[in-house]
Amino acid sequence: MGQIMSISKVKPGMELAEDVMNHNKSILVKKGFKLTDRIIEMLFNKYNVKEVVIKIVHNQAPKNFSKKETNLSSQHYAKNKLAFLDSTDHLEMIKKEIEKVGKLMIETNFVRHSIKVEKIFMKAIQQEQIIELLLKLRVISNNGKENLHRYIKTSLLATATGINLNLDEDNLLLLARASLVYDIGNCIIDQNLLNNNSLLPKNDKKKLEEHVIAGFQILQHKFPKEICLPAYQHHERFDGSGYPNGLENDQLHLFSRIIGIVDVYTALSSNRPHRSAYPTNEVIEFLLGSGDVLFEYKIIVEFLSIINIYVAGSFVLLNNGDIGIVSEINGNPLGKPKVKLLYDKEWRNLNGKEVDLSRNPLYFIKKVID
């Protein structure tokens, strides 16, 4: 079984699923050959080969790292003088913070299956190695507190999505842990790049993309593949347009597909150094529009169905300028609750008239009013 791949996306070590031939049908490179830099360059420059058929390797992960590469994380920690991170006191401190934030998030009723999600999450953070990594993320990052909270939210959302997908408890536990540490590679990335508030030049963007390889390197000797692969694959996309290997959907681990969606949702709905958070309705529209292009549509729908986007009692602004209060969540998965209208855009009293947004497609919530 093979995948047609542009020669520009081919990486050394990939195996040919079919012979590569020239225009005269003579074999240039035989099926089964593992490509090298020199052969890739020859095919592209000398023989003008545009595409090759690569053998699909499910759950593909980076192989044969050098000793220098696998020591990236320890070098970085030593450089930043973070030896104190092994302190039992600091581990206990961060664990309590994670427990507290996780419980507070669940208590806001922002996610469905809350009882089971809390049970899985609390069990997930009993593993000391997970807490050690989260402590490093918390301390090294310039926005450590905000990022830690985002990873907690990602874990809760990913776990609830896994419940919707009927994963058993063992896999839910692995998914909860994987979605806490999938971005651990950011520990070795220049924090000035991570927090840059402008468009990055190509070279700097390439450096940022290296965090997926670094993350896998940090995790590979401590955790099973279910936890390691999402760190490496969460920026791959359904259509093969992602990085680092341009893998397509059926080549990705299920956890990578779930976390990739949740990661984008939490990123777009959070404030970042270079922009404010996008309105929830815009994030939802983006995800739905990317179905079976960037992400698997089935998982998008299951993910959106577990989010309680709006809480009853929230004041909201509608797209037509009306102001109201969410009166009923309505069991609707896509942010279409019932709203009691209070005022129109001219501040005229609307006397609490109730409108069901799921039955009025022209109206939607533009933002929550604090």
Side-chain angles (χ1 to χ4, degrees):
M1 186 176 180
Q3 173 193 352
I4 298 174
M5 186 176 291
S6 167
I7 196 73
S8 64
K9 289 188 175 182
V10 172
K11 307 289 184 184
M14 290 184 174
E15 184 177 334
L16 290 172
E18 295 182 8
D19 295 337
V20 180
M21 300 183 181
N22 63 15
H23 63 281
N24 294 322
K25 302 299 181 184
S26 298
I27 295 176
L28 298 174
V29 187
K30 287 189 174 183
K31 171 184 175 181
F33 184 84
K34 289 190 176 180
L35 294 166
T36 63
D37 281 322
R38 187 178 67 82
I39 296 298
I40 294 169
E41 184 179 359
M42 178 194 73
L43 291 174
F44 181 71
N45 292 325
K46 185 174 180 180
Y47 294 101
N48 200 30
V49 173
K50 302 296 185 185
E51 296 177 332
V52 293
V53 182
I54 296 296
K55 181 179 178 181
I56 293 176
V57 181
H58 290 277
N59 302 332
Q60 185 172 354
K63 305 291 184 182
N64 301 323
F65 291 120
S66 68
K67 186 175 182 181
K68 179 180 178 182
E69 287 174 314
T70 54
N71 284 334
L72 279 172
S73 57
S74 60
Q75 290 171 3
H76 183 78
Y77 301 145
K79 181 180 178 181
N80 285 277
K81 300 179 181 179
L82 295 174
F84 76 93
L85 290 176
D86 293 327
S87 160
T88 302
D89 290 341
H90 285 94
L91 288 175
E92 191 60 32
M93 175 189 70
I94 196 72
K95 184 179 177 183
K96 286 181 179 178
E97 180 181 353
I98 294 166
E99 287 178 349
K100 180 180 178 181
V101 173
K103 285 181 178 179
L104 285 173
M105 286 184 178
I106 291 169
E107 285 172 6
T108 64
N109 198 33
F110 87 107
V111 65
R112 299 184 185 185
H113 311 303
S114 57
I115 294 175
K116 189 168 185 178
V117 168
E118 181 174 5
K119 175 187 173 184
I120 296 294
F121 179 77
M122 292 304 165
K123 189 173 181 180
I125 62 174
Q126 298 310 308
Q127 186 171 3
E128 188 171 293
Q129 289 172 316
I130 294 290
I131 300 300
E132 288 173 353
L133 292 174
L134 290 173
L135 178 56
K136 288 168 181 174
L137 276 170
R138 174 74 163 82
V139 173
I140 290 173
S141 172
N142 292 343
N143 297 305
K145 182 177 180 180
E146 293 81 2
N147 287 337
L148 178 63
H149 291 187
R150 185 180 153 217
Y151 299 138
I152 293 169
K153 185 176 183 180
T154 299
S155 182
L156 298 174
L157 290 170
T159 303
T161 305
I163 293 171
N164 255 26
L165 291 169
N166 298 314
L167 297 184
D168 61 37
E169 192 156 319
D170 287 343
N171 275 302
L172 288 173
L173 183 59
L174 287 167
L175 176 58
R177 287 173 174 156
S179 48
L180 281 168
V181 298
Y182 71 97
D183 244 356
I184 187 65
N186 282 337
C187 282
I188 75 154
I189 301 298
D190 184 342
Q191 296 301 300
N192 292 324
L193 291 180
L194 286 173
N195 298 297
N196 192 292
N197 58 6
S198 60
L199 290 175
L200 293 171
K202 188 174 181 179
N203 286 346
D204 285 344
K205 187 178 179 183
K206 200 70 178 174
K207 289 177 184 176
L208 272 183
E209 292 178 358
E210 290 174 359
H211 80 278
V212 297
I213 299 174
F216 185 88
Q217 292 168 349
I218 292 169
L219 299 174
Q220 66 175 333
H221 299 304
K222 298 179 180 179
F223 297 98
K225 68 177 184 179
E226 291 85 356
I227 292 177
C228 300
L229 285 172
Y232 186 59
Q233 296 179 340
H234 66 276
H235 283 291
E236 300 283 7
R237 295 295 178 252
F238 184 95
D239 61 357
S241 62
Y243 66 86
N245 284 326
L247 301 181
E248 295 184 356
N249 194 63
D250 61 355
Q251 297 172 272
L252 303 177
H253 193 281
L254 174 61
F255 292 2
S256 304
R257 286 178 266 161
I258 294 171
I259 292 171
I261 292 169
V262 182
D263 175 63
V264 167
Y265 174 83
T266 57
L268 292 178
S269 57
S270 302
N271 291 322
R272 305 303 288 269
H274 58 287
R275 60 158 175 80
S276 299
Y278 287 98
T280 302
N281 65 288
E282 291 184 17
V283 179
I284 291 172
E285 292 297 330
F286 170 78
L287 286 175
L288 289 172
S290 67
D292 287 351
V293 179
L294 299 180
F295 307 105
E296 186 175 341
Y297 184 76
K298 175 187 174 183
I299 299 178
I300 293 173
V301 172
E302 295 298 340
F303 165 63
L304 292 177
S305 73
I306 57 91
I307 304 173
N308 291 328
I309 299 168
Y310 304 107
V311 179
S314 300
F315 288 93
V316 293
L317 174 68
L318 302 189
N319 62 309
N320 67 345
D322 289 351
I323 293 173
I325 186 169
V326 175
S327 56
E328 188 178 333
I329 300 303
N330 207 25
N332 190 288
L334 302 180
K336 299 280 188 178
K338 291 181 180 178
V339 175
K340 287 186 177 179
L341 302 178
L342 304 177
Y343 304 99
D344 67 12
K345 62 182 177 181
E346 303 296 334
W347 289 97
R348 290 184 290 246
N349 196 327
L350 296 176
N351 301 312
K353 175 186 175 183
E354 189 170 66
V355 58
D356 186 345
L357 297 184
S358 68
R359 297 178 180 273
N360 290 271
L362 295 179
Y363 299 101
F364 57 83
I365 293 173
K366 190 172 182 181
K367 69 176 182 178
V368 176
I369 302 172
D370 295 327

